[in-house]
Amino acid sequence: GAGVSQSPSNKVTEKGKDVELRCDPISGHTALYWYRQSLGQGLEFLIYFQGNSAPDKSGLPSDRFSAERTGGSVSTLTIQRTQQEDSAVYLCASSQTPYYEQYFGPGTRLTVT
Amino acid sequence: SQQGEEDPQALSIQEGENATMNCSYKTSINNLQWYRQNSGRGLVHLILIRSNEREKHSGRLRVTLDTSKKSSSLLITASRAADTASYFCAAGDSGGYQKVTFGTGTKLQVIP
């Protein structure tokens, strides 16, 4: 079946602009995660959804970052007033339920110039 | 700080040798998972071990878990060049948020 998809695959934006990143999880997966991975680094947890609610927003780096999930499916991560330090690969993952193995999307590479 | 931290950060071995990577975590967990990331590609789940398990096998992979030491190890036997990748452990918190936190990874290079 279809895996996790993310769009766009690449995004180049100017500093100060807003960006929206989209994640389509595997159908039926209730848990959805957003991570950020800088070049050569590990995964930085951003936010986790169980259904449409986000029990844990502790990983969001600043109030410029927000995320929502609708219909227990698609999620969007929004970064307002982007900064150069926001440049990274943003990964989305979904799992059947929390604690089960996560299936990752290919990521969105964000470059802020 | 990271919940999971891998050791070593980098490992280089000859094809056919075994590779061992270690992971330490800080809090109580429900499970611990290992993932692989090939260069420029997404992460792939390898194996999950629950907190009440001590050892688990999957093909050439063997994972152990020591909850008293808050550590886990991943052993890849008879390594192949295709095993070259970064390997991450991910600790599933037993707390209410059910968060899974990834470590910084071990970069494994298998030389043909």
Side-chain angles (χ1 to χ4, degrees):
Chain A
V4 177
S5 61
Q6 292 185 246
S7 61
S9 56
N10 281 285
K11 176 72 177 178
V12 180
T13 189
E14 292 180 353
K15 178 181 173 181
K17 294 285 181 66
D18 298 351
V19 295
E20 268 193 8
L21 312 180
R22 177 187 169 106
C23 172
D24 282 89
I26 293 173
S27 177
H29 280 194
T30 63
L32 186 147
Y33 304 82
W34 282 99
Y35 300 91
R36 179 168 71 173
Q37 186 175 33
S38 300
L39 186 62
Q41 302 298 309
L43 277 73
E44 176 187 3
F45 169 83
L46 297 178
I47 191 169
Y48 147 65
F49 287 93
Q50 173 58 20
N52 291 335
S53 64
D56 188 356
K57 300 180 181 180
S58 63
L60 294 177
S62 74
D63 58 8
R64 296 186 294 105
F65 287 72
S66 63
E68 65 174 13
R69 188 180 185 194
T70 55
S73 180
V74 172
S75 176
T76 55
L77 176 68
T78 301
I79 308 173
Q80 295 178 312
R81 305 180 301 282
T82 52
Q83 303 295 312
Q84 287 188 328
E85 60 263 29
D86 299 334
S87 296
V89 175
Y90 289 80
L91 293 163
C92 173
S94 69
S95 65
Q96 190 174 11
T97 61
Y99 287 149
Y100 274 63
E101 52 265 40
Q102 297 182 27
Y103 293 83
F104 280 80
T108 293
R109 183 175 297 278
L110 175 67
T111 304
V112 181
T113 61
Chain B
S1 60
Q2 295 287 343
Q3 165 73 308
E5 294 186 2
E6 289 88 345
D7 168 58
Q9 291 187 332
L11 180 62
S12 183
I13 60 174
Q14 294 289 327
E15 198 167 30
E17 293 181 339
N18 296 341
T20 300
M21 289 159 266
N22 303 298
C23 168
S24 60
Y25 57 91
K26 294 180 170 62
T27 64
S28 296
I29 61 169
N30 174 282
N31 65 62
L32 191 131
Q33 304 174 37
W34 286 89
Y35 290 80
R36 182 185 71 221
Q37 185 177 38
N38 293 93
S39 179
R41 303 181 70 175
L43 280 89
V44 174
H45 181 266
L46 296 176
I47 195 166
L48 180 153
I49 185 166
R50 302 195 185 281
S51 60
N52 61 354
E53 297 177 310
R54 293 296 169 259
E55 186 170 315
K56 200 162 184 180
H57 297 255
S58 177
R60 294 183 295 112
L61 306 179
R62 172 178 170 254
V63 169
T64 61
L65 179 65
D66 187 335
T67 52
S68 67
K69 295 181 179 178
K70 291 186 167 54
S71 67
S72 173
S73 67
L74 171 68
L75 168 68
I76 304 173
T77 60
S79 63
R80 305 167 181 168
D83 295 329
T84 295
S86 289
Y87 291 81
F88 295 89
C89 69
D93 286 350
S94 60
Y97 284 147
Q98 300 175 325
K99 185 170 73 178
V100 177
T101 307
F102 283 75
T104 52
T106 292
K107 290 184 180 179
L108 172 66
Q109 181 184 26
V110 181
I111 303 168

